[in-house]
Amino acid sequence: MTATLTHTPAEQALIDALEGATGWRAQLREATRREGLPTRRHELWKWSDLRRAANDVTAPGRITVTGLDTPITDGARIELCVAATAGASAADAELVIPAGAKVTLIERYSAEAGALANWHLGITLEAGARLDRVIIATDTGDSAFIASAEIVLAPEAHLHQRALDFGGRLSRIETHVTHPGEGAEVDLGGVYLLDQGRHADSTSVVHHTGPGGVTKQLVKGAAAAKGHGVFQGKFMVDRAAQQTDARMTHRAMMLDDRAEIDAKPELEIYADDVQCAHGNALGALDETALFYMRQRGIPAVRARALLIESFLAEPLDAIADETLREDLKAQLRTRLEALS
Amino acid sequence: MLNIENLHCQVETQEGEEKPILKGLSLNVPAGEVHAIMGPNGSGKSTLSYVLTGRDGYEVTQGSMVFEGADLSELEPEERAAAGLYLSFQYPVEIPGVPTITFLKEALNAQRTARGEDEVTAPEFMKLIREKAKQLGVSMDMLKRPVNVGFSGGEKKRMEILQALVLEPKFMILDETDSGLDIDALKTVSEGVNALRAPERGMLVITHYQRLLDHITPDVVHIMANGKIVKSGGPELAKELEAEGYDKYLGEAA
């Protein structure tokens, strides 16, 4: 017996928007039709209530993706702009990084107020490929923007991912990685900085399926009053994935007592000869350092910004492309100075 | 230059209670003079340095502190700094991720802007800091490192003095600058401080031991006990303390 689900206007709009869709978008349509949008009752969404975040969405919208025509060859720099209008929409794409190729992928997300945007990438890294993926989710302010990726690595492939997220009504960057070990390496990093009322969710699962895999993850965040940060990180290590070396760290700063940060670092390990660790630390701004800077004449607002910037910038320092790195750090700085 | 009258200050303890620390302290330091404050642990020496510079949690309950005619209690910490008040910290704070050079340039220009002066340009600043670093034997390599991160106790104190040389404050408070210094570092730091002695600059040297005062000769020595000054005199007072200890003053203050 199945109970009939009454769809919210947002759910109905998404279902309508995906009429006749195929592939991943058809799956999304079916899942939405059957279960509705995820709420806190879903374990994987317990801190990010998408149904609520999309409660003002009533009509289908449109999502456009530019840059997908760039040939994926060695040395390629692919710049995708994913832009959503108000209303419910979804788009997806498949990328294959050829064996031995070194590719940079930049994704810039933007959304109008009142958007419920779903963006999905399926990425395959062939043997020895290297992908530097940089996600810039700095312009999704008053929308619900869900970006997910399913990334499968071949042996000797390297995935290096960095995300900068200023949050939205709900911004979620979800990354699922299949890691075969055998010389493959994964480095996932991210930064979120949340002003009042913003919500950012970093969710990732790295599934180690073969021996000797190396995985690093460093996510740092800061939330102002009524900002809400979510970190869910999971490392799974199969019995076959002996000698996996996987380290996960999430560190966040609450800039106000009324900020909320929820973190769930998880290890699920079935192999017995592995090195896996996770660390999670929440703190506040160092008041002693703040006084020290002010004693030297730096105004309080500027001193705060400098301290937060120096705390947050670490994951971004590992972006190989200098122009990109400096661009992201500049965006972070500008944002910090505007922080309420 | 610095006039403190009957200053009472209380500090919030970790348990959230208000504890009176300064209990009617009066002190006048004219421009051009170096005054030393000596006293046993717990007499309120560090509290004095923090209340003068405006640290949160140090509350003035009575009395006044006036710097060049301005009521310090009305000013934010950064305004006091721009007015020319400088504290060399007993425990200089580490700031990971902020290179010392960036920090100092930021501080200097913030102070200059607050005073209505033009900012120094990057080349001007580099010239200035090179010159001052050389004076104190600090390498440029060290200045590129984050503020105080991984520095030894002596290096941190040296950096405090270097910052003073760059910022050129009107008034310096040196809080236990000699602690953690070996004899060579003590000499270098003292030379830096002495280079800053000037007719238009005042200094307050807070110390537990007489050792530092062998290198920085004060004009006046004050003995502090239980939150106030209990005796003032010339440099010979420091020598007397070294020989006889603080015991007799602890009795007087109680």
Side-chain angles (χ1 to χ4, degrees), chain B residues 8 16 38 52 57 63 75 81 89 99 103 107 122 146 171 189 205 213 219 222 231 247:
Chain B
H8 288 68
M38 302 186 69
L52 285 172
L75 303 178
F89 283 63
F103 173 72
F171 195 96
V189 164
V205 180
L213 305 181
D219 298 295
H222 306 277
K231 188 169 185 180
D247 286 355

Coordinates of all heavy atoms in Angstrom, one line a residue, chain B residues 8 16 38 52 57 63 75 81 89 99 103 107 122 146 171 189 205 213 219 222 231 247:
Chain B
H8 N 40.7 53.2 39.9 CA 40.1 51.9 40.4 C 39.7 51.1 39.1 O 39.0 51.6 38.3 CB 38.9 52.1 41.3 CG 39.3 52.7 42.6 ND1 39.8 54.0 42.8 CD2 39.3 52.1 43.9 CE1 40.0 54.2 44.1 NE2 39.8 53.1 44.8
G16 N 33.0 34.8 36.2 CA 32.0 35.8 35.9 C 31.9 36.8 37.1 O 31.0 37.7 37.1
M38 N 57.6 48.6 39.5 CA 58.0 47.3 39.9 C 57.0 46.8 41.0 O 56.5 47.6 41.7 CB 59.4 47.4 40.5 CG 60.5 47.9 39.6 SD 62.1 47.9 40.2 CE 62.4 46.1 40.3
L52 N 44.9 50.7 30.5 CA 45.3 51.9 29.8 C 45.1 51.7 28.3 O 44.8 52.7 27.6 CB 46.8 52.1 30.0 CG 47.2 52.7 31.4 CD1 48.7 52.8 31.6 CD2 46.6 54.2 31.5
G57 N 36.8 43.8 29.3 CA 36.8 43.1 30.6 C 37.5 43.8 31.7 O 37.5 43.4 32.8
G63 N 38.0 57.2 39.3 CA 39.3 57.8 39.0 C 39.4 58.1 37.5 O 38.4 57.9 36.7
L75 N 37.9 56.3 24.7 CA 38.5 55.9 23.4 C 38.5 54.4 23.2 O 38.8 53.6 24.2 CB 39.9 56.4 23.2 CG 40.1 58.0 23.3 CD1 41.5 58.3 23.1 CD2 39.2 58.7 22.2
A81 N 45.6 53.7 20.3 CA 46.8 53.4 19.5 C 47.1 54.5 18.6 O 48.3 55.0 18.5 CB 46.6 52.1 18.7
F89 N 53.5 43.7 24.6 CA 52.8 42.7 25.4 C 53.8 41.7 26.1 O 54.8 41.4 25.6 CB 51.9 41.8 24.4 CG 50.7 42.4 24.0 CD1 50.7 43.6 23.2 CD2 49.4 41.9 24.4 CE1 49.5 44.2 22.8 CE2 48.2 42.5 24.0 CZ 48.3 43.6 23.2
P99 N 51.0 37.6 7.6 CA 52.4 37.9 7.6 C 52.7 39.1 8.4 O 51.9 40.1 8.3 CB 52.8 38.1 6.1 CG 51.7 37.4 5.3 CD 50.4 37.6 6.2
F103 N 50.8 42.8 8.4 CA 50.2 43.3 9.7 C 50.7 44.7 10.0 O 49.9 45.6 10.4 CB 50.5 42.3 10.8 CG 50.1 42.7 12.1 CD1 48.8 42.7 12.5 CD2 51.1 43.0 13.1 CE1 48.5 43.0 13.8 CE2 50.8 43.4 14.4 CZ 49.4 43.4 14.7
A107 N 48.7 48.2 10.2 CA 48.6 48.9 11.4 C 49.1 50.4 11.3 O 48.4 51.3 11.7 CB 49.4 48.2 12.5
A122 N 53.7 51.4 -0.6 CA 54.4 50.1 -0.4 C 56.0 50.3 -0.4 O 56.6 49.8 0.5 CB 53.9 49.1 -1.4
P146 N 54.1 34.5 9.5 CA 52.9 35.0 10.2 C 53.3 35.6 11.6 O 54.2 35.1 12.2 CB 52.0 33.8 10.4 CG 52.5 32.8 9.4 CD 54.0 33.1 9.2
F171 N 53.9 57.1 23.3 CA 54.1 56.6 24.7 C 54.1 55.1 24.6 O 53.3 54.5 24.0 CB 52.9 57.1 25.6 CG 53.2 56.9 27.0 CD1 53.7 57.9 27.8 CD2 52.9 55.6 27.6 CE1 53.9 57.7 29.2 CE2 53.2 55.4 29.0 CZ 53.7 56.5 29.7
V189 N 67.2 44.1 22.8 CA 65.9 44.7 23.0 C 66.1 46.0 23.7 O 65.4 47.1 23.4 CB 65.0 43.7 23.8 CG1 63.8 44.5 24.4 CG2 64.5 42.6 22.9
V205 N 57.8 51.3 32.1 CA 58.5 50.0 32.0 C 58.0 49.2 33.2 O 58.3 49.5 34.4 CB 60.0 50.2 32.0 CG1 60.7 48.8 32.0 CG2 60.5 51.0 30.9
L213 N 66.3 47.1 34.2 CA 66.6 48.5 34.5 C 68.1 48.8 34.6 O 68.6 49.9 34.6 CB 66.0 48.9 35.9 CG 64.4 48.6 35.9 CD1 63.9 49.1 37.2 CD2 63.7 49.3 34.7
D219 N 64.0 57.2 35.0 CA 64.1 58.4 35.7 C 63.4 58.3 37.1 O 63.9 58.9 38.0 CB 63.4 59.6 34.9 CG 64.0 59.8 33.5 OD1 65.2 60.2 33.5 OD2 63.4 59.5 32.5
H222 N 58.6 53.3 40.6 CA 57.5 53.2 41.5 C 57.4 51.8 41.9 O 57.6 50.9 41.1 CB 56.2 53.6 40.7 CG 56.2 54.9 40.1 ND1 56.0 56.1 40.7 CD2 56.5 55.3 38.8 CE1 56.1 57.1 39.8 NE2 56.4 56.7 38.7
K231 N 55.4 53.4 46.8 CA 56.6 54.2 47.0 C 57.1 54.6 45.7 O 57.1 53.8 44.7 CB 57.6 53.4 47.8 CG 58.8 54.3 48.2 CD 59.7 53.6 49.2 CE 60.8 54.5 49.7 NZ 61.7 53.9 50.7
D247 N 58.8 42.2 50.4 CA 58.0 41.9 51.6 C 57.5 43.1 52.4 O 56.4 43.2 52.8 CB 58.9 41.0 52.6 CG 58.9 39.6 52.0 OD1 58.2 39.4 51.0 OD2 59.6 38.8 52.6

